[in-house]
Amino acid sequence: MTTAPLAGRLDGLLFFPVTAFAPDGSLDLDAFRAHVRAGVDAGAAAVFACCGTGEFHALTPEEFRSCVAAAVEETAGRVPVVAGAGYGTALAIQYARLAEEAGADGLLAMPPYLVVADQAGLLRHYTELAAATSLDVIVYQRDNAILTPATAVALARADGVIGIKDGLGDLDLMQRIVSAVRAEGLDLLYFNGLPTAELTCAAYRGIGVTLYSSAVFCFAPDLALAFHRALATGDDATVDLLVDGFYRPLVELRSQGRGYAVSLVKAAVRMGGLDVGEVRPPLSEPAPEHLAELARLVERGRALLKEARA
């Protein structure tokens, strides 16, 4: 069920920082701290550490705990810190307890590793994860973790489960989930969690889903915040200008390579002046021509923003 304090604090742009690595591939906590600090100073409403953009899959438990603890220290209570937790149930619980020890405010439950479970198995997985710590849990729906409306209702009844982040993009399913939970007199938070959520924000708002994660905020918080304000205030002209001239081309570039939802974002952070290193295997760096196009897109986005403000 949705309860304070976390549920009431998740209002605004959600920041999913990249995890910084040194040239030798080791964790670079100084660069990670700087990245988190810059995001919070820029206006992030929450920090989701060590999640998809943060290469959760590539971190050891020790590195994970260090990153979450660093994020907690850098935010200093100004905004909540939500940490990723994934793999099978036993490992997800282990990561959840590490996040709790590190001072996180909540968990983003990533899809279980490899297996395709039935609804009973998914429900048991998430309820056991929620029961393992005092942290509130947001369930990340995508890939092999797709919920039926009935399962969403059951999760809404479970202690500690406060929301669903949708990375599938099936608006019909999400409408049925929202309706089923509401019809039972229950409440959940819902998030648009698609890789470049801004492209589909208007559609999600149509079914009542206003929260979203912004990968663009990692490297161009000015663009992300301007879009967020335009969307919230009904400034359709600015929304359309940025969608047509920046976000849609960015999505088309992202589709040019596997793993680009992470590696392009990390490359853009480096272009902005903070050396957060490269992605870890099995991800790869973007092709040179795609990096050049990325730089042009960010420059064009800022030019469009000036045009909108003129």
Side-chain angles (χ1 to χ4, degrees), residues 6-196:
L6 181 59
R9 299 175 70 193
L10 294 174
D11 183 19
L13 266 185
L14 309 179
F15 174 34
F16 284 66
V18 301
T19 299
F21 301 125
D24 65 359
S26 63
L27 191 64
D28 187 342
L29 277 179
D30 288 341
F32 177 72
R33 286 176 177 275
H35 184 43
V36 170
R37 188 164 57 247
V40 175
D41 289 346
V47 174
F48 281 66
C50 305
C51 296
T53 308
E55 297 179 78
F56 170 79
H57 68 277
L59 300 175
T60 67
E62 294 78 16
E63 290 172 330
F64 169 86
R65 191 190 187 288
S66 295
C67 282
V68 175
V72 170
E73 290 173 6
E74 290 301 328
T75 59
R78 289 180 289 170
V79 299
V81 174
V82 179
Y87 303 117
T89 306
L91 272 177
I93 287 173
Q94 179 182 341
Y95 278 94
R97 288 174 175 162
L98 289 172
E100 186 174 40
E101 291 170 8
D105 298 284
L107 300 169
L108 178 64
M110 315 289 272
Y113 174 69
L114 191 61
V115 297
V116 179
D118 61 13
Q119 293 297 299
L122 289 173
L123 180 59
R124 182 179 175 187
H125 173 75
Y126 294 122
T127 53
E128 289 188 8
L129 176 60
T133 73
S134 64
L135 301 180
D136 288 333
V137 174
I138 299 164
V139 175
Y140 194 1
Q141 169 171 266
R142 58 175 292 173
D143 300 324
N144 59 329
I146 308 303
L147 309 173
T148 65
T151 300
V153 168
L155 286 172
R157 297 186 191 281
D159 290 337
V161 177
I162 66 165
I164 296 172
K165 178 185 178 185
D166 180 53
L168 177 64
D170 184 338
L171 288 175
D172 174 82
L173 175 59
M174 279 305 298
Q175 177 66 87
R176 288 186 287 117
I177 285 174
V178 171
S179 175
V181 172
R182 183 175 58 228
E184 292 296 320
L186 301 168
D187 193 19
L188 284 173
L189 295 177
Y190 302 100
F191 307 79
N192 174 358
L194 291 175
T196 305

Side-chain angles (χ1 to χ4, degrees), residues 218-242:
C218 282
F219 59 87
D222 51 338
L223 291 174
L225 288 166
F227 182 89
H228 186 265
R229 283 192 297 270
L231 191 69
T233 59
D235 181 0
D236 293 339
T238 298
V239 168
D240 292 346
L241 189 69
L242 290 174

Side-chain angles (χ1 to χ4, degrees), residues 232-304:
T233 59
D235 181 0
D236 293 339
T238 298
V239 168
D240 292 346
L241 189 69
L242 290 174
V243 165
D244 295 348
F246 174 69
Y247 284 105
R248 178 178 55 80
L250 180 63
V251 168
E252 291 170 349
L253 176 60
R254 192 193 70 219
S255 69
Q256 297 300 306
R258 290 189 178 275
Y260 272 19
V262 177
S263 61
L264 274 178
V265 173
K266 204 164 193 180
V269 175
R270 293 196 304 269
M271 288 178 184
L274 180 61
D275 188 359
V276 290
E278 298 184 349
V279 291
R280 278 180 173 173
L283 296 181
S284 299
E285 288 298 299
E289 63 270 22
H290 294 154
L291 293 176
E293 178 61 21
L294 176 63
R296 286 192 291 269
L297 276 176
V298 174
E299 183 178 354
R300 182 182 182 189
R302 292 196 166 119
L304 290 171

